[in-house]
Amino acid sequence: MTAGENSNGDNQVEPDADLRNFGDTVKACRKRAGLTQEQFRPLVGYSVQYVASVEQGRRHPSTKFVNKADEVLDSFGVIKIAAKQLARRRGLASWFRRWAELEEEAVALNTYECRVVPGLLQTEAYARTLIQNVPPMPTAQEAEDRIARRLERQKLLARTPYASFSFIIEQAVIERQTGGPEVTRELIDHLLESARLPNVDVQIMPTASPEHSGTDGPFRLLESHENEWFGYSEGQQTGRVISDPKDISLLHQRYAKLRIQALNPADSAGLLMRLRGSL
């Protein structure tokens, strides 16, 4: 399992007991109410498949589902309390599973990165270099599995109806030449190609940036299909989904500033082509 979008290692974890416990709680409340999944489905506005995935602990519930299930099943707040327990978990792999799930149904995704090119924009060669550079070294099969999962997620960029993607990447990330000049040339070509998609904006934050609102580190913002906003931050062996409205507001303010401070998409493309020419 991939620990995080840009993670170079792969943490093996036990199945998510917290999600299973939450699912068992919903299932018990549903049965107490005398409802089958088919009968429960229209009351909460979700498919039978969604309900089954939540009850089996394979899917993180949306806020809307939690509130509606608590109301429909008259659980006296038990379902909401169980959901709060999910929000308190701090496990990298499980946190990323939730983020990846949110990402699957997102209508907008904003990403600021100062460490590596975001996973959704990586080439196979660049991803391979990242995965093989950071200890512990993976086996050949582990590396292939991680690369395949990372490239599979990139289908989100072309999925229709289109989601809106904004990426702000530090110039130094490109200038590092991870993997060498050939890998970097291919990476730049891929960034330029991705930036031509109608739903993708790629902006470069120049190395000389006297005003910079991203010095606290990389982060992401996502708008779900239910128009809820979530944030995500990731570091060494850690990552977390952010849902508190005050924290989300703060990240929105920072991202808005970063979009102004970074080069616009056209100038960013020009810089990328100059960087490519210098290799």
Side-chain angles (χ1 to χ4, degrees), residues 17-248:
D18 290 316
L19 279 176
R20 287 204 311 270
N21 290 339
F22 177 84
D24 288 341
T25 299
V26 172
K27 184 177 180 180
C29 290
R30 175 178 59 77
K31 287 190 171 183
R32 181 182 66 84
L35 298 173
T36 65
Q37 289 182 347
E38 185 63 41
Q39 292 168 328
F40 182 47
R41 174 193 64 78
L43 299 179
V44 288
Y46 287 83
S47 67
V48 170
Q49 291 78 10
Y50 187 100
V51 173
S53 293
V54 169
E55 290 189 353
Q56 293 165 15
R58 294 187 289 107
R59 186 184 191 107
H60 199 288
S62 69
T63 302
K64 180 182 175 182
F65 178 90
V66 170
N67 292 335
K68 197 65 179 176
D70 191 79
E71 175 190 340
V72 167
L73 299 177
D74 194 21
S75 73
F76 304 101
V78 170
I79 291 176
K80 288 184 178 180
I81 292 171
K84 287 181 180 178
Q85 289 300 116
L86 288 178
R88 295 191 185 104
R89 291 180 296 120
R90 287 296 185 272
L92 176 60
S94 60
W95 275 122
F96 187 71
R97 283 200 303 272
R98 182 187 178 195
W99 181 258
E101 184 177 284
L102 289 168
E103 201 177 57
E104 286 283 344
E105 300 177 356
V107 298
L109 179 65
N110 300 332
T111 301
Y112 165 65
E113 257 299 347
C114 57
R115 305 164 304 170
V116 297
V117 169
L120 290 174
L121 297 177
Q122 292 176 11
T123 62
E124 180 176 344
Y126 184 83
R128 187 180 303 278
T129 300
L130 292 176
I131 289 169
Q132 293 178 339
N133 269 356
V134 180
M137 296 299 106
T139 65
Q141 188 57 57
E142 287 172 339
E144 293 305 318
D145 289 345
R146 295 176 203 173
I147 291 167
R149 285 194 292 267
R150 193 166 299 185
L151 296 179
E152 176 68 21
R153 290 180 52 247
Q154 295 181 2
K155 293 180 180 179
L156 291 173
L157 295 178
R159 181 193 62 193
T160 54
Y162 283 133
S164 175
F165 292 89
S166 168
F167 299 95
I168 300 174
I169 308 167
E170 291 288 335
Q171 179 179 342
V173 169
I174 311 298
E175 292 178 326
R176 188 175 298 133
Q177 297 187 34
T178 299
E182 184 176 345
V183 171
T184 304
R185 278 192 292 270
E186 182 189 28
L187 176 66
I188 292 174
D189 288 342
H190 183 64
L191 289 173
L192 290 168
E193 181 181 353
S194 299
R196 284 192 284 270
L197 293 171
N199 58 320
V200 177
D201 286 332
V202 176
Q203 293 180 254
I204 302 298
M205 177 67 77
T207 301
S209 303
E211 296 182 352
H212 197 311
S213 298
T215 52
D216 272 3
F219 65 93
R220 276 161 267 183
L221 281 163
L222 174 153
E223 183 182 8
S224 74
H225 71 290
E226 296 168 337
N227 305 117
E228 295 179 281
W229 281 94
F230 298 89
Y232 183 75
S233 65
E234 188 176 88
Q236 294 275 354
Q237 299 300 103
T238 186
R240 68 187 184 105
V241 172
I242 302 164
S243 57
D244 183 270
K246 291 183 179 179
D247 291 335
I248 295 297

